Amino acid sequence: MPSIQVSEAQYVPVELTAVRIDKPDDLNVIIGQAHFIKTVEDLHEALAGVGPHLRFGLAFCEASGPRLIRHSGNDDVLIELATRNAAMVAAGHSFIVFLLEGYPVNVLNAIENVPEVCGIFCATANPVEVLIAETELGRGIVGVIDGSVPLGVETADDQADRRQLLRQIGYKL
């Protein structure tokens, strides 16, 4: 077996910035990373297969070739919003999905089962900032800031309220 020569590590400067996702307060967003041009079609099919009432828009930043922002969905406003936010994030192989008439909990398994999806950074209606690292090579998502810091630890009353809410919205019997 031939030996593999490994060159000395090259350290390059990196700039860290945060990009705030532009969205209405109550709109759910999912931000993730994938690896192939067919991600757009496969994400669309996965989301459309969840249920007939789900409205969505998605955008994917391709990292090679023509390096376009690919987009799809079944709601023109959400498609435009996803495309605009993807352009602001501008990180290779990242994707953004906006949802109406459904919640991330309804679609996360379908999205995670898309073969091209490498991971999901967040799924939320909270305000989101995407942490971007940029080098000479390009931009990548380092992580996200998803909402505010906790204000305390739940009490027994808070636990009862949480349980009641889950039953009220139909997620528990």
Side-chain angles (χ1 to χ4, degrees):
M1 180 171 194
S3 65
I4 299 173
Q5 298 296 324
V6 178
S7 61
E8 195 171 311
Q10 295 182 8
Y11 299 97
V12 296
V14 64
E15 180 181 336
L16 187 63
T17 57
V19 175
R20 182 164 291 150
I21 296 298
D22 179 26
K23 69 177 198 62
D25 289 340
D26 58 348
L27 186 63
N28 281 287
V29 62
I30 300 170
I31 301 172
Q33 188 169 22
H35 72 90
F36 191 48
I37 191 173
K38 86 182 197 60
T39 299
V40 173
E41 291 180 29
D42 288 355
L43 282 174
H44 183 113
E45 290 172 357
L47 290 163
V50 168
H53 302 293
L54 181 70
R55 294 179 13 214
F56 64 92
L58 68 100
F60 170 69
C61 296
E62 95 188 329
S64 59
R67 298 192 326 238
L68 300 174
I69 297 173
R70 308 291 181 167
H71 54 87
S72 189
N74 62 8
D75 183 290
D76 290 340
V77 171
L78 296 178
I79 295 168
E80 191 278 325
L81 189 61
T83 303
R84 185 165 24 95
N85 277 277
M88 291 187 311
V89 170
H93 285 145
S94 64
F95 66 85
I96 298 177
V97 176
F98 285 105
L99 301 173
L100 277 176
E101 310 299 333
Y103 299 98
V105 70
N106 304 124
V107 301
L108 282 174
N109 281 341
I111 289 173
E112 289 174 331
N113 284 323
V114 171
E116 301 87 54
V117 171
C118 300
I120 293 176
F121 292 104
C122 71
T124 186
N126 292 340
V128 176
E129 293 175 343
V130 180
L131 301 178
I132 302 292
E134 186 167 359
T135 69
E136 294 173 353
L137 181 61
R139 292 165 62 108
I141 297 175
V142 178
V144 297
I145 298 173
D146 174 6
S148 303
V149 298
L151 298 175
V153 177
E154 71 178 351
T155 65
D157 287 342
D158 296 322
Q159 289 173 345
D161 290 346
R162 172 174 39 89
R163 291 182 184 113
Q164 180 182 351
L165 173 66
L166 291 173
R167 281 144 186 83
Q168 179 182 342
I169 62 176
Y171 280 100
K172 294 288 182 173
L173 297 175

